[in-house]
Amino acid sequence: MKLLYIYTMLKLNVKNETSRLRAVILGTAKSNGPTPKVEECYDPKSVEHVLAGTYPKEEDMVLEMDAVASVFEKYDVKVFRPEVIKDCNQIFSRDIAFVIEDKILRANILPNREKEIEAISYVWNQIDRANRIILPEECHVEGGDVMPWNDYIFIGTYSGDDYSDLITARTNMDAVIAIQELFPEKIVKSFELRKSNTNAKDNALHLDCCFQPIGKEKAIIHKNGFLIEKEYEWLVDFFGKENVFEITKDEMYSMNSNIFSISEDIIISEKNFTRLNTWLRGQGFIVEEVPYAEISKQEGLLRCSTMPLIRD
């Protein structure tokens, strides 16, 4: 049965990654479909778990996402969920759209994921038409690569000659240029990411798989996720070495940088991130721990499955 919605216009507002969250789209693991074939996977970590027989089960992923929904309820965050499409992976809502300032940009994603966008059309329709942006077809971009940070917009990209051969290369320089033109008052800073179709430990699928700002002036980062060392060094200098938590290759593989900020002092993190969570609490953060290890088997975690619409 088709759901009916009473539309009230949403006034989008996202200036950074950590201001107090008021509204968000949280993906869904319901009717996730059967375990994919290797050739149907979008990333090397999913392939690894398909081959090992450890690909996550729908019921486990539903429970993990319910835990995140409960945290949002605790902090009075308005949560939108996609309409459920039968046998479709709709977990990673960050892939399909993202908000900068008062505008929502529809991501140009892998062609066979178009129906995921249709599943959030009821949200899209609550936004002023002038603030709904669809980039030109040649602009490839996914929300995991795009991070508004006050006067800056950080964007992960890949510009190698083998771009078209890499299913893990998701955001191109055409998109970087288009976003700069849309937001001329911002400083758009792009970062070349390390990509691999076959080795998850050498693959930064998105920028948020190897870097994320937290609080007011801190960041989580993994050096090897960046293809150009000077770009990694720029970020460390920008935040200050004393404010940066460096994660190992194994911690990047487990998605330690892909946590999610409800505010400047409240962070949702995976319960097994012991070293990170201890450091966060030592820095004065409130850490809401949730189970998310099954979802992480698809090379995405908390930031990947949440798409903020309104922050204070």
Side-chain angles (χ1 to χ4, degrees):
M1 188 174 75
K2 189 73 175 175
L3 298 176
L4 297 176
Y5 298 95
I6 299 173
Y7 292 147
T8 56
M9 297 306 287
L10 283 170
K11 294 184 179 179
L12 303 177
N13 185 53
V14 176
K15 291 181 169 62
N16 57 48
E17 292 290 312
T18 63
S19 293
R20 180 62 161 90
L21 184 70
R22 297 299 176 187
V24 67
I25 297 176
L26 173 66
T28 181
K30 293 179 180 176
S31 194
N32 199 247
T35 298
K37 298 174 183 175
V38 166
E39 60 270 21
E40 294 171 333
C41 293
Y42 303 133
D43 64 90
K45 196 171 180 182
S46 292
V47 170
E48 183 181 309
H49 285 286
V50 168
L51 292 173
T54 54
Y55 193 81
K57 295 180 173 62
E58 178 182 315
E59 58 266 31
D60 295 330
M61 294 189 292
V62 168
L63 288 173
E64 290 184 343
M65 300 200 83
D66 284 348
V68 176
S70 294
V71 175
F72 286 143
E73 183 179 0
K74 174 180 176 179
Y75 289 99
D76 196 28
V77 175
K78 171 72 174 172
V79 178
F80 297 90
R81 307 298 292 268
E83 292 184 335
V84 175
I85 302 168
K86 182 174 170 56
D87 293 336
C88 178
N89 187 333
Q90 296 176 265
I91 292 170
F92 300 119
S93 58
R94 183 80 65 154
D95 287 355
I96 60 178
F98 54 94
V99 174
I100 302 174
E101 297 286 338
D102 60 352
K103 292 178 172 54
I104 186 166
L105 286 75
R106 174 174 159 165
N108 287 345
I109 60 172
L110 299 169
N112 52 350
R113 297 185 64 184
E114 285 288 318
K115 54 189 175 181
E116 290 180 59
I117 296 171
E118 296 170 14
I120 63 163
S121 61
Y122 80 96
V123 178
W124 180 265
N125 291 334
Q126 295 179 61
I127 298 161
D128 187 288
R129 284 182 183 275
N131 291 331
R132 304 179 207 165
I133 308 297
I134 299 177
L135 295 174
E137 191 174 338
E138 68 272 13
C139 299
H140 301 168
V141 61
E142 291 185 355
D145 276 324
V146 182
M147 293 186 180
W149 190 247
N150 304 313
D151 294 334
Y152 288 80
I153 302 173
F154 300 140
I155 303 179
T157 188
Y158 184 75
S159 60
D161 292 339
D162 57 348
Y163 179 95
S164 60
D165 298 325
L166 290 168
I167 196 171
T168 54
R170 302 294 174 83
T171 298
N172 63 13
M173 285 304 296
D174 287 327
V176 174
I177 293 164
I179 290 170
Q180 178 68 86
E181 290 173 349
L182 273 171
F183 301 95
E185 75 286 0
K186 300 284 189 181
I187 302 167
V188 174
K189 181 75 176 170
S190 64
F191 303 90
E192 291 279 332
L193 302 181
R194 191 174 304 280
K195 302 290 181 178
S196 172
N197 279 353
T198 57
N199 187 340
K201 290 188 178 182
D202 284 328
N203 178 53
L205 188 63
H206 293 124
L207 181 58
D208 60 16
C209 295
C210 61
F211 162 73
Q212 187 168 178
I214 52 175
K216 292 182 179 179
E217 55 185 15
K218 299 184 189 300
I220 303 164
I221 198 165
H222 176 60
K223 181 179 181 179
N224 196 54
F226 296 84
L227 207 50
I228 299 171
E229 188 168 341
K230 283 186 177 179
E231 293 181 354
Y232 152 80
E233 290 171 352
W234 185 94
L235 275 171
V236 172
D237 290 343
F238 180 84
F239 286 92
K241 192 168 182 63
E242 70 281 4
N243 292 320
V244 170
F245 184 82
E246 297 263 3
I247 58 175
T248 66
K249 181 177 281 197
D250 285 342
E251 287 171 332
M252 186 192 85
Y253 174 78
S254 299
M255 309 300 294
N256 275 234
S257 65
N258 206 268
I259 57 179
F260 184 75
S261 294
I262 290 180
S263 72
E264 290 175 347
D265 56 0
I266 303 168
I267 290 173
I268 310 178
S269 181
E270 215 285 329
K271 67 178 185 178
N272 294 306
F273 294 170
T274 307
R275 192 173 79 92
L276 173 64
N277 294 344
T278 299
W279 181 83
L280 289 171
R281 291 189 173 105
Q283 298 294 314
F285 291 99
I286 296 168
V287 181
E288 295 284 351
E289 294 188 357
V290 295
Y292 233 60
E294 292 304 303
I295 285 172
S296 78
K297 292 177 179 179
Q298 299 176 79
E299 208 157 348
L301 206 80
L302 291 154
R303 189 179 186 272
C304 290
S305 55
T306 49
M307 200 264 281
L309 298 169
I310 302 169
R311 290 186 183 271
D312 285 345

